[in-house]
Amino acid sequence: GENVEQHPSTLSVQEGDSAVIKCTYSDSASNYFPWYKQELGKGPQLIIDIRSNVGEKKDQRIAVTLNKTAKHFSLHITETQPEDSAVYFCAASPTGTASKLTFGTGTRLQVTL
Amino acid sequence: NAGVTQTPKFRVLKTGQSMTLLCAQDMNHEYMYWYRQDPGMGLRLIHYSVGEGTTAKGEVPDGYNVSRLKKQNFLLGLESAAPSQTSVYFCASNTPASGSETQYFGPGTRLLVL
């Protein structure tokens, strides 16, 4: 089955700096890659996703890049703010329908003032 | 529009006891999922359903059963709870065929098995 590795497990940045979280996947059939943000005591919430026919996608301060050849994808957050502090999860779906997502182990991002 | 709701929010069980976790969604989604979240392990799929009356096993189905008698509800059962089932359980739903593959998650149920 699919295996998704995520790094780093914790990340601390100063407000205004950029944060990068990286994931690798093993199944070359995966073609849907969402990123979820989980705030304390809440369920995960989708923040951005990308399909394998696209190399990069951007939404305001958040961007995701995908290198299908190397089987890795990354989340980039620019101009970080305290409210960006949360746990971020990457995921991959080999079916392309998000019916069976495999999640990474999560990155705890702390944005300090 | 409440989205995905889960009942209860928190529960303590003794080893061997049984319980049912309820998930309800009001978005008319076809697919529903049950995940467990453990420290350092991300979310792992327990069971899922692609429609009313259907269920399928996920990555970690042992010790759990599910039922989808109504489209809006997905129940997760523990027949004989074990300490290894101490976890936070999340329900999610979506309709992939609609063009939006986003899975919408509930707030979670925290379960402690003593």
Side-chain angles (χ1 to χ4, degrees):
Chain A
E2 175 66 278
N3 181 48
V4 177
E5 295 189 358
Q6 182 173 347
H7 300 281
S9 57
T10 61
L11 179 60
S12 182
V13 300
Q14 285 196 323
E15 184 179 6
D17 287 350
S18 296
V20 180
I21 303 170
K22 299 181 179 181
C23 289
T24 61
Y25 62 98
S26 61
D27 191 341
S28 57
S30 288
N31 57 8
Y32 176 68
F33 308 93
W35 285 89
Y36 283 83
K37 176 183 180 182
Q38 186 177 27
E39 297 177 341
L40 193 63
K42 296 184 178 180
Q45 184 173 14
L46 181 80
I47 54 172
I48 195 167
D49 57 12
I50 191 168
R51 291 186 161 278
S52 59
N53 58 349
V54 175
E56 183 175 359
K57 184 176 180 181
K58 191 172 182 180
D59 183 4
Q60 298 183 348
R61 297 187 294 110
I62 295 173
V64 57
T65 59
L66 171 65
N67 183 328
K68 202 177 177 188
T69 303
K71 294 187 189 147
H72 66 71
F73 55 112
S74 301
L75 178 71
H76 304 253
I77 305 174
T78 59
E79 300 173 20
T80 54
Q81 301 168 2
E83 52 265 39
D84 293 329
S85 296
V87 179
Y88 292 82
F89 291 95
C90 63
S93 171
T95 65
T97 64
S99 61
K100 292 181 72 174
L101 286 173
T102 300
F103 284 84
T105 52
T107 296
R108 183 174 299 278
L109 173 65
Q110 180 70 42
V111 180
T112 58
L113 297 174
Chain B
N1 193 336
V4 180
T5 57
Q6 294 183 231
T7 309
K9 289 185 172 55
F10 176 69
R11 184 77 183 268
V12 179
L13 287 179
K14 293 182 180 179
T15 296
Q17 288 184 320
S18 63
M19 79 163 293
T20 300
L21 283 68
L22 171 64
C23 175
Q25 52 94 4
D26 60 3
M27 296 175 283
N28 201 34
H29 284 163
E30 293 294 329
Y31 288 34
M32 296 187 75
Y33 314 81
W34 275 107
Y35 293 90
R36 60 177 289 173
Q37 184 176 38
D38 302 293
M41 300 189 72
L43 291 97
R44 292 181 293 167
L45 184 64
I46 305 171
H47 286 281
Y48 65 101
S49 167
V50 300
E52 182 179 323
T54 71
T55 64
K57 294 180 179 180
E59 180 186 355
V60 288
D62 294 343
Y64 305 95
N65 56 75
V66 288
S67 64
R68 183 100 180 267
L69 299 179
K70 292 183 178 180
K71 184 178 182 178
Q72 63 269 33
N73 295 338
F74 196 28
L75 278 63
L76 178 70
L78 286 74
E79 290 187 349
S80 179
S84 60
Q85 294 178 304
T86 293
S87 188
V88 182
Y89 293 85
F90 288 99
C91 176
S93 69
N94 70 344
T95 301
S98 69
S100 174
E101 300 177 356
T102 304
Q103 287 192 21
Y104 294 86
F105 283 81
T109 293
R110 188 174 296 274
L111 177 64
L112 176 61
V113 182
L114 302 175

